[in-house]
Amino acid sequence: MKEETPKPKGIMSRRAFLRTGLAAGGAVAAGGANAMPPQGNPANQPPNVPDWTRSLGEGVVARPYGKPSSYESVVIRRDVEWLTASRESSVSFTPLHALDGMITPNGLCFERHHAGIAEVDPADYRLILHGLVDKPLIFTLDDIKRMPRVSRAYFCECAANSGMEWRGAQLNGCQYTHGMVHCVMYTGVPLKTLLDEAGVKPNAKWLLLEGGDSAAMTRSLPMQKALDDVLIAYRMNGEMLYPENGYPVRAVIPGWEANMWVKWLRRIELGDQPWHHREETSKYTDLLENGKARRFTYVMDAKSVITNPSPQAPINHKSGFTVLSGLAWSGRGKIARVDVSLDGGRNWQTAKLDGPIFDKALTRFYYEFDWDGRELLLQSRAMDETGYVQPSKSELRKVRGVNSIYHNNGIQTWQLHKNGEVENVEIS
């Protein structure tokens, strides 16, 4: 199966389903209403002995670093070629439709580079901490790894995630509309630990984080956030960071837009005011309908998306028991509830949240229903523990207009057709 880069657009009960499942081959052979069409090689299917049972397989260390089955080769990050002029300053998208649970595999975390991937030699790596401190410091990677550490699962979302949808439905696939988000168990040192080691002067109110890529990506960070929950991370899901995600060290700024999570972190300067650099003036600001721009809009508000069914994950059965699955997240804290609508927002049902539910992390939700084969308009709506409710797109546009790129957390609509195919549409 081959997926292509998208182009812009223009009842059976659960118990009955489970009984059918237990009957397995008998039901399929009988060609029941929900039977999948015949696929694969019949010689490998019951009652025959399949090829893989007839001979020994590869031994240990034949695959010294594991990778997914070749049958899952379509589950990869993808870019949209026409979206940017070059791949050195571009983005790839996480295949949300092909994943489950709340942790993103390291090899599938979306990428966003401003000047390509910096290949940093860990022996030469240094982190400089200076400015309004009592004692300027330079840390090696080993210095950082010897310090007290913590491991926390956090989502990381590009401010431009869903940015192409401000003016209406554009791309078919939640990989492209919502795939600039991932959730990883990061391991690192609290930034507060480094600041305590250096000694912060009383007039220090802001930090400048600078990356080691050729763009020297910089962002100003308020001191209050730096002392709260920011990590200087070197591991993701137990492994060292991947180069495309900032190896050997990156900043982790929980709940805030991903451009703040400076990769290949090489310098932290303390000052008494923000630096007003390019990425916080001409870029990463929210242009409003009246022509004014909002700055320093760090927090990623509550958001959700249905990942299955979705345009890249159609329904393959004709009707019957169906598990709808999706992801929700909020930069303000934990997800408290997710509602699901099958009729474009006229009626809502509460979805089941599947643990663990962490602060500022992706949360998986499920909603089980009997699909009768009709066309549906699928939506999800997230609520976080602060009471914030994910807005509809029309509600969002009343405040933000349509001229922005960033911070689009409006409710997404998928239209499920009778043949099981799914399309990105907009009804509000």
Side-chain angles (χ1 to χ4, degrees):
M1 184 173 68
K2 179 178 184 299
E3 292 193 29
E4 298 181 347
T5 299
K7 298 177 181 178
K9 287 183 57 178
I11 294 187
M12 179 175 71
S13 71
R14 179 182 182 182
R15 181 171 296 176
F17 170 82
L18 294 176
R19 280 202 305 268
T20 304
L22 291 173
V28 173
N34 294 280
M36 292 286 291
Q39 295 179 350
N41 181 4
N44 283 330
Q45 298 171 9
N48 301 317
V49 177
D51 290 340
W52 48 85
T53 306
R54 296 175 181 275
S55 60
L56 294 174
E58 290 181 332
V60 296
V61 199
R63 306 176 191 188
Y65 193 94
K67 61 181 182 179
S69 164
S70 60
Y71 298 103
E72 301 294 328
S73 61
V74 298
V75 183
I76 56 175
R77 293 182 289 219
R78 297 178 186 278
D79 66 348
V80 178
E81 292 185 6
W82 49 263
L83 188 62
T84 56
S86 76
R87 287 188 168 176
E88 288 75 23
S89 181
S90 189
V91 60
S92 69
F93 302 85
T94 297
L96 299 178
H97 63 288
L99 304 177
D100 215 323
M102 48 81 73
I103 292 294
T104 310
N106 289 339
L108 297 177
C109 292
F110 79 94
E111 305 163 278
R112 171 70 174 104
H113 311 315
H114 294 76
I117 300 169
E119 295 288 352
V120 180
D121 184 339
D124 295 332
Y125 175 77
R126 299 292 185 274
L127 174 60
I128 303 167
L129 178 56
H130 68 121
L132 296 178
V133 295
D134 296 330
K135 182 176 58 177
L137 296 172
I138 297 179
F139 300 93
T140 67
L141 180 59
D142 283 344
D143 290 337
I144 295 171
K145 293 170 72 174
R146 284 194 300 111
M147 302 182 82
R149 77 197 71 166
V150 297
S151 295
R152 300 283 186 271
Y154 291 121
F155 79 82
C156 174
E157 182 182 19
C158 178
N161 200 20
S162 311
M164 288 177 284
E165 304 287 304
W166 272 107
R167 294 174 183 269
Q170 296 293 316
L171 299 174
N172 261 334
C174 65
Q175 180 169 16
Y176 305 106
T177 60
H178 290 73
M180 285 193 278
V181 65
H182 65 239
C183 187
V184 161
M185 180 68 77
Y186 288 101
T187 300
V189 180
L191 177 53
K192 183 179 185 302
T193 301
L194 302 185
L195 296 176
D196 288 344
E197 186 74 13
V200 176
K201 291 186 179 297
N203 57 333
K205 304 298 181 187
W206 288 80
L207 296 81
L208 183 74
L209 308 183
E210 181 181 291
D213 57 336
S214 65
M217 175 75 178
T218 51
R219 285 304 312 258
S220 299
L221 177 71
M223 180 63 72
Q224 183 177 2
K225 180 67 172 177
L227 297 175
D228 182 14
D229 54 5
V230 173
L231 299 182
I232 304 302
Y234 48 89
R235 292 189 184 275
M236 52 195 296
N237 295 332
E239 297 183 285
M240 290 299 288
L241 298 176
Y242 281 20
E244 61 268 36
N245 291 108
Y247 178 90
V249 171
R250 77 173 305 170
V252 170
I253 320 290
W256 287 19
E257 57 190 22
N259 60 79
M260 304 288 296
W261 300 43
V262 174
K263 297 185 286 189
W264 315 289
L265 183 66
R266 66 171 296 272
R267 188 170 72 91
I268 301 175
E269 181 180 355
L270 275 64
D272 59 0
Q273 58 184 340
W275 275 258
H276 307 291
H277 281 184
R278 173 182 179 273
E279 307 298 346
E280 49 207 23
T281 52
S282 66
K283 304 295 180 184
Y284 298 115
T285 57
D286 303 323
L287 184 60
L288 305 179
E289 195 167 25
N290 61 7
K292 294 185 177 180
R294 302 191 311 179
R295 295 180 60 195
F296 301 132
T297 50
Y298 301 123
V299 176
M300 304 305 294
D301 285 321
K303 189 171 178 178
S304 67
V305 64
I306 294 170
T307 56
N308 295 78
S310 63
Q312 294 165 288
I315 292 180
N316 291 321
H317 56 269
K318 292 181 179 178
S319 62
F321 180 75
T322 301
V323 178
L324 180 153
S325 175
L327 291 165
W329 59 96
S330 173
R332 301 181 188 276
K334 294 180 181 178
I335 288 296
R337 194 174 106 188
V338 176
D339 290 339
V340 169
S341 176
L342 306 182
D343 55 10
R346 289 195 292 272
N347 296 282
W348 294 92
Q349 304 294 329
T350 301
K352 177 177 66 179
L353 302 185
D354 190 53
I357 301 172
F358 292 139
D359 180 61
K360 304 179 183 69
L362 293 187
T363 297
R364 175 64 61 177
F365 66 87
Y366 298 113
Y367 179 71
E368 301 164 356
F369 68 105
D370 287 335
W371 181 44
D372 61 5
R374 289 185 301 172
E375 294 213 353
L376 302 177
L377 292 171
L378 306 175
Q379 295 182 334
S380 63
R381 180 178 63 187
M383 284 151 269
D384 66 26
E385 61 182 352
T386 71
Y388 180 93
V389 180
Q390 182 182 1
S392 68
K393 291 187 177 179
S394 59
E395 290 172 332
L396 189 61
R397 287 179 183 129
K398 287 179 181 176
V399 178
R400 298 283 308 282
V402 296
N403 295 318
S404 188
I405 297 173
Y406 308 112
H407 295 274
N408 183 347
N409 68 324
I411 291 173
Q412 175 66 43
T413 306
W414 304 129
Q415 183 171 13
L416 172 62
H417 296 294
K418 292 179 180 178
N419 62 1
E421 293 181 353
V422 183
E423 183 179 4
N424 180 12
V425 299
E426 185 158 333
I427 58 174
S428 62

